[in-house]
Amino acid sequence: MRAKGHGILSALPPEHRDTLLTFAREVAFPAAARIFDEGGGANHFWIIRSGLVALDVQEPGRGATVVETLGEGELLGWSWLFEPYRWHLGAQTRSAVEAYEFDAPQVRAAIDEDPAFGLAVTHCVAAVAIGRRLRAARARLLDLYGPPVTAHRPQPGGEAP
């Protein structure tokens, strides 16, 4: 299977990208499809080939709040890599989506068998997906729950006009 060199796949060295892609199968999801729910078992992960997927968190009394939207080349799901293998967020398509789907236990077994492959995949997931996702979730939560922005800010050493 051949893939364009973009997103998370471009962050992997070619030999490890090729190894990872041997575990891929092409899938498609229609618009508004629920891919996984927060707290569910993380037994698969995806690399988005086209379309958009919203990551959300369930808030009591408010329902789902979108914390980030993923697109082409991005990794959907990283909870499959770390115990207890449960989703931290939910995911729903915003449009029709085509993706590479991976069986997580099969990829974890390959990671255990080949330490160089394991290090490359783990580093890539941590650097490209987890760090970016945490920054995006923090920014979104600050937008939702941070202090309101006021038109008149106090001047240093003084009071607001």
Side-chain angles (χ1 to χ4, degrees), residues 126-147:
V128 175
I130 297 173
R132 179 176 174 271
R133 191 109 353 113
L134 290 174
R135 286 188 302 277
R138 180 181 185 276
R140 178 68 175 134
L141 291 172
L142 286 173
D143 285 346
L144 291 171
Y145 301 110

Side-chain angles (χ1 to χ4, degrees), residues 21 30 44 84:
L21 286 171
H44 292 88

Side-chain angles (χ1 to χ4, degrees), residues 92-118:
Q92 183 165 335
T93 60
R94 290 284 185 167
S95 63
V97 169
E98 293 181 347
Y100 293 120
E101 182 178 73
F102 300 85
D103 178 87
Q106 190 178 35
V107 175
R108 286 194 303 262
I111 285 170
D112 290 343
E113 289 173 16
D114 181 350
F117 174 68

Side-chain angles (χ1 to χ4, degrees), residues 9 11 16 23 26 40 63 69 73-75 81-82 90 95 98 118 123 129 131 133 136 145 153 156 160-161:
L9 292 174
H16 299 308
F23 300 107
E26 294 182 10
T69 302
E74 294 186 276
L75 175 68
L81 188 55
F82 305 102
S95 63
E98 293 181 347
H123 181 267
R133 191 109 353 113
Y145 301 110
R153 293 187 183 256

Side-chain angles (χ1 to χ4, degrees), residues 29-40:
F29 298 100
R34 195 79 183 152
I35 299 174
F36 56 82
D37 289 309
E38 184 178 348

Side-chain angles (χ1 to χ4, degrees), residues 6-61:
H6 61 278
I8 194 161
L9 292 174
S10 69
L12 282 170
E15 66 275 12
H16 299 308
R17 179 180 57 237
D18 293 344
T19 299
L20 182 62
L21 286 171
T22 65
F23 300 107
R25 73 180 189 103
E26 294 182 10
V27 297
F29 298 100
R34 195 79 183 152
I35 299 174
F36 56 82
D37 289 309
E38 184 178 348
N43 299 316
H44 292 88
F45 65 97
W46 301 264
I47 296 175
I48 300 169
R49 295 176 49 227
S50 66
L52 298 172
V53 176
L55 297 177
D56 57 42
V57 61
Q58 293 294 323
E59 294 184 82

